[in-house]
Amino acid sequence: MRSLTKHFLPIALAILASLPMAAQKGSHHSRGTPPSPPPSGAILYNNPRSTEGAFDVYPITEPDIEKKLSTTEQPACFQFPMAPVASSTVSASRMTVPTKAKKEFGDACVQVRKKKLKDAQKHLNRAVQAYPSFADAWVLLGQIQEDQGNLQQAEQSCQHARAADAGYLPGYLCLADVAARQGQWQPVADFTDHVIAANPAKAPGAFFYNFLGHFYMKQWNAAEKSAFAALKDGSKEESRQVRWLLAKMYELKGDRASEAEQLREYVKLYPDDREAPVARQVLKQIESGRSAGQKPNKQ
C-alpha cells in the first residue's frame, strides 16, 4: 500500500508501520487505542507526487484555455486530493483572470509536467502577482511548496486560495492535505466536512481524508461513513489503504466480525500486497477463535 495511480498523490501511510495488526505482536487479543498523531512536521506520504502523464498543458496559445477556466473542471496539473474534483459552480476567481496571469499559470503547468518545480513556482508567483485572486494558481502553488517540504508556505498559499473564493472546494482540500501531513486531524476533518457538505459532483480525495481525520480522533461512526464512500468512489490503490485501516478500526473497537470481513476483502482484492500475509494471519486467528466456540465481539 505504498502508492497511488499517476493521477493521485502517493498516499503510502508511514503511520501504518505504527499500526500493526495484532498478529504482528503475536496475539490477536492485543488491543489498544488508536495511534497518536505523528509529531508536527512528520511526513505521512511517500513523496514526490507522480507526475508522469497526469497533466494537460495549458499554453496561452491554446484556444481552450478560456473554455477550461470558465467551466467547473479543475486544471489537470492539480494532483490528489485536489484532482479529480468537480463542483456544481464555476470558481468566481476565474471570471476576470487577466491574460498575463493565465499565461504564467499555463507555463507553470508545463514546468510541473517536466518536474521542474522551482521553475513552476516562479511562474505561479508571477501569476498571483498579476491577479491576487487567482485561486487555481494559489492551490497549485501550495501543492508545489508542499512537495518541496515548505509546509508553512503551502498552508499560506492554500489560505489565499480559500480567501480568493470561499466556494472554491480545492482550496479546502489544499488545506486538508497540508494539515494531514502534519498530523493535525481536527482541521483535516473540518475542511473535508465542508467539502462533503457542499455536495460536489466529484471529490474522492475528500472522503479519503475525511476518513483519516475522524479515524485518528476516534470518531468511529463518521470515519466509517466516509470510509465506505471512499471505497465507492476512490481508486483501487486508495481503496486498498481504506480497507486496511478499516480492519484496524474494527480491531480497536473489538468488532471482530467486521474486522474479518474487511480482511477477507483485502486478501481477495490484493492477494499479492505486502500486507497480505499479515492479513491472512490475523484472519486465521479470528476464524480459529470462532471454531473454538468464542463469540465474535460486535459493538
Side-chain angles (χ1 to χ4, degrees), residues 22 87 111 119 236-237 297 299:
S87 63
Q111 295 306 314
D119 290 339
K236 179 179 178 181
E237 295 295 331
N297 298 323
Q299 298 178 350

Side-chain angles (χ1 to χ4, degrees), residues 31-292:
R31 308 237 178 231
T33 59
S36 300
S40 178
I43 301 300
L44 306 185
Y45 314 105
N46 182 20
N47 279 325
R49 291 181 173 96
S50 173
T51 60
E52 182 180 358
F55 310 111
D56 288 338
V57 181
Y58 290 163
I60 193 62
T61 54
E62 288 194 6
D64 72 341
I65 180 70
E66 297 285 349
K67 179 180 178 182
K68 285 185 179 291
L69 286 178
S70 65
T71 69
T72 59
E73 293 182 54
Q74 304 309 323
C77 46
F78 282 6
Q79 299 172 73
F80 187 89
M82 283 62 92
V85 61
S87 63
S88 58
T89 59
V90 179
S91 171
S93 70
R94 292 178 173 181
M95 306 309 292
T96 56
V97 181
T99 299
K100 175 177 173 56
K102 290 178 184 177
K103 184 179 187 307
E104 294 291 352
F105 182 80
D107 290 342
C109 281
V110 172
Q111 295 306 314
V112 170
R113 185 180 186 183
K114 295 178 180 179
K115 303 182 183 180
K116 296 182 178 180
L117 300 187
K118 291 184 178 179
D119 290 339
Q121 186 169 340
K122 292 178 182 177
H123 286 293
L124 290 168
N125 284 332
R126 289 195 284 265
V128 295
Q129 287 172 4
Y131 184 56
S133 296
F134 199 170
D136 295 271
W138 282 118
V139 166
L140 185 57
L141 180 59
Q143 286 202 305
I144 289 174
Q145 292 165 332
E146 191 177 4
D147 283 346
Q148 296 178 95
N150 301 320
L151 297 183
Q152 185 175 1
Q153 293 178 14
E155 183 177 3
Q156 291 173 353
S157 294
C158 298
Q159 288 173 344
H160 280 301
R162 185 177 59 165
D165 186 350
Y168 186 57
L169 300 185
Y172 294 88
L173 291 173
C174 187
L175 286 165
D177 193 19
V178 174
R181 288 174 185 260
Q182 300 175 83
Q184 298 173 354
W185 300 113
Q186 184 66 62
V188 171
D190 291 343
F191 289 132
T192 52
D193 279 343
H194 177 88
V195 173
I196 293 169
N199 194 27
K202 189 175 185 181
F207 290 108
F208 181 79
Y209 275 100
N210 194 258
F211 167 51
L212 291 183
H214 290 295
F215 175 91
Y216 284 105
M217 293 189 295
K218 310 177 191 178
Q219 296 168 349
W220 304 131
N221 290 339
E224 185 177 49
K225 182 178 179 180
S226 287
F228 284 105
L231 288 174
K232 179 179 178 181
D233 298 328
S235 72
K236 179 179 178 181
E237 295 295 331
E238 193 176 42
S239 297
R240 177 177 357 197
Q241 295 184 53
V242 171
R243 288 200 182 278
W244 180 259
L245 284 178
L246 260 180
K248 184 61 185 181
M249 184 185 81
Y250 289 130
E251 179 192 15
L252 294 170
K253 289 178 63 178
D255 184 349
R256 300 185 70 186
S258 295
E259 178 186 359
E261 181 181 355
Q262 290 304 317
L263 291 173
R264 288 191 194 95
E265 285 298 307
Y266 187 88
V267 171
K268 175 183 175 181
L269 295 171
Y270 319 111
D272 300 320
D273 188 73
R274 60 184 298 170
E275 312 292 352
V278 174
R280 292 188 183 95
Q281 185 177 353
V282 175
L283 184 58
K284 182 178 180 180
Q285 289 179 351
I286 295 173
E287 292 173 342
S288 295
R290 288 181 180 178
S291 64

